[in-house]
Amino acid sequence: MTPEQRVIACVDQSAYADTVTDHAAWAALQMGAPLELLHVIDRHPETAQSSDRSGAIGPDAQQALLTQLSQEDEARVRAAREQGRLFLNRLRERALAAGVPVVDVRQRLGHLDETLQEVQNEARLVVMGRRGASAAEGERSLGSNVESVVRALARPILTVGQKAFKAPERVLLAFDGSAITRKGVEMVAGSPLFRGLPVHLVMAGLDASSGQKDMDWAIAHLREGGIDAQGVCVPGDPQEVILRSMEAQGADWLLMGAYTHSPWRKLFSKSRTSGLLASVGKPTLLLR
């Protein structure tokens, strides 16, 4: 039996956990989908606490040292699992209080991108913070997990910051006429996630005559899906156009393709993506 597709919220013990849960809970309610809280415990050796054992290494001490390291690793994992269990239970209660009727929790050892690849067929939407517990504080760039997850998955991924959840009232879709953003238009038109939300499309970096036909298709498709859609073609640097449009439209969420082969590919390269997401400061749905 194929499991029901769900909203998967990737949580860790960072400052993003509550807002990730709140955004995922809202999305699950909008979509009428179950919610799963996924906590992946990274078993990277460098994350384990260690002490200086240089004086203990010798021909007769190697096996004892390996045994000691194994025992310490097992103890660290047991402690992390228990902390994670308590942490997940708190977030589950938070999601239930928000009105989500079905909230499951899952805990895994490993790497987040690999775990999500294994379960992505169960996901309608993945929600994650832009930085994790292991990321340095105060840095504006994305956490390393975000790019690896976006590259690994073929599912839409909502990335959120630390700001308290606010239900979106308007969204902006960065449209370039490419296959991935056309797929995004079809997804928005057919998804209950965006029902009742005005959608403003912006096509940047192209002159109006070359992009208008694609823009007309996108607006017509969204309107056929019952979406209140408007759109404009604006010449100029895509990142600057998007930021100005987000401000001018009062958009709460940004929808955009990621790692496409479109003329905007440079925009969605690692450095540009990081800069744009940090500059927008709003939840951003990355289309795949």
Side-chain angles (χ1 to χ4, degrees):
M1 179 177 175
T2 303
E4 185 177 3
Q5 285 195 316
R6 57 196 60 206
V7 175
I8 296 180
C10 306
V11 293
D12 62 12
Q13 297 186 59
S14 71
Y16 292 79
D18 286 355
T19 189
V20 167
T21 300
D22 293 344
H23 282 83
W26 179 85
L29 286 170
Q30 285 286 108
M31 301 167 79
L35 171 62
E36 178 179 296
L37 301 170
L38 172 65
H39 178 218
V40 178
I41 300 172
D42 192 340
R43 206 168 181 172
H44 245 277
E46 60 268 27
T47 63
Q49 294 181 352
S50 62
S51 56
D52 182 6
R53 300 180 176 87
S54 56
I57 297 177
D60 300 328
Q62 290 186 8
Q63 185 57 48
L65 179 57
L66 289 173
T67 301
Q68 181 183 350
L69 290 172
S70 177
Q71 291 172 343
E72 289 177 358
D73 183 56
E74 290 176 3
R76 185 184 67 84
V77 170
R78 280 198 302 273
R81 279 189 178 279
E82 179 59 17
Q83 290 175 0
R85 186 183 67 77
L86 298 173
F87 158 75
L88 283 172
N89 284 339
R90 181 183 71 77
L91 294 181
R92 181 174 182 274
E93 292 299 320
R94 187 181 181 96
L96 289 171
V100 183
V102 179
V103 183
D104 295 323
V105 297
R106 181 174 352 205
Q107 201 176 56
R108 288 281 191 91
L109 285 178
H111 298 285
L112 180 60
D113 54 348
E114 294 171 356
T115 301
L116 284 172
Q117 273 188 301
E118 293 175 12
V119 303
Q120 67 172 318
N121 288 338
E122 304 171 22
R124 291 176 67 178
L125 174 70
V126 173
V127 184
M128 63 186 300
R130 290 178 181 167
R131 302 188 63 77
S134 60
E137 294 292 338
E139 192 176 336
R140 287 174 62 86
S141 61
L142 295 178
S144 59
N145 271 331
V146 174
E147 183 186 357
S148 60
V149 166
V150 172
R151 287 188 180 278
L153 299 189
R155 289 288 186 272
I157 302 159
L158 177 65
T159 66
V160 304
Q162 293 186 45
K163 291 181 180 177
F165 170 73
K166 172 183 177 293
E169 297 177 357
R170 301 180 64 85
V171 301
L172 185 141
L173 198 162
F175 179 71
D176 64 358
S178 66
I180 196 166
T181 55
R182 281 176 169 261
K183 183 180 174 183
V185 167
E186 293 170 348
M187 183 200 72
V188 172
S191 174
L193 183 64
F194 302 98
R195 196 65 63 212
L197 296 179
V199 175
H200 182 82
L201 297 101
V202 61
M203 177 177 276
L206 301 170
D207 62 68
S209 60
S210 64
Q212 194 58 54
K213 184 177 179 180
D214 287 329
M215 179 63 78
D216 291 343
W217 171 85
I219 293 173
H221 199 85
L222 288 170
R223 289 176 178 173
E224 288 172 5
I227 301 290
D228 177 9
Q230 306 290 334
V232 293
C233 301
V234 183
D237 177 78
Q239 181 167 329
E240 293 178 2
V241 170
I242 290 170
L243 293 176
R244 286 201 306 269
S245 299
M246 288 289 292
E247 182 70 23
Q249 296 297 323
D252 299 302
W253 284 17
L254 170 64
L255 284 59
M256 69 179 196
Y259 307 108
T260 71
H261 295 279
S262 75
W264 285 18
R265 187 177 182 182
K266 288 183 179 178
L267 172 63
F268 300 123
S269 67
K270 179 179 178 180
S271 59
R272 287 294 191 97
T273 301
S274 301
L276 179 58
L277 292 180
S279 299
V280 169
K282 299 283 184 71
T284 301
L285 184 67
L286 300 173
L287 305 170
R288 302 296 296 153

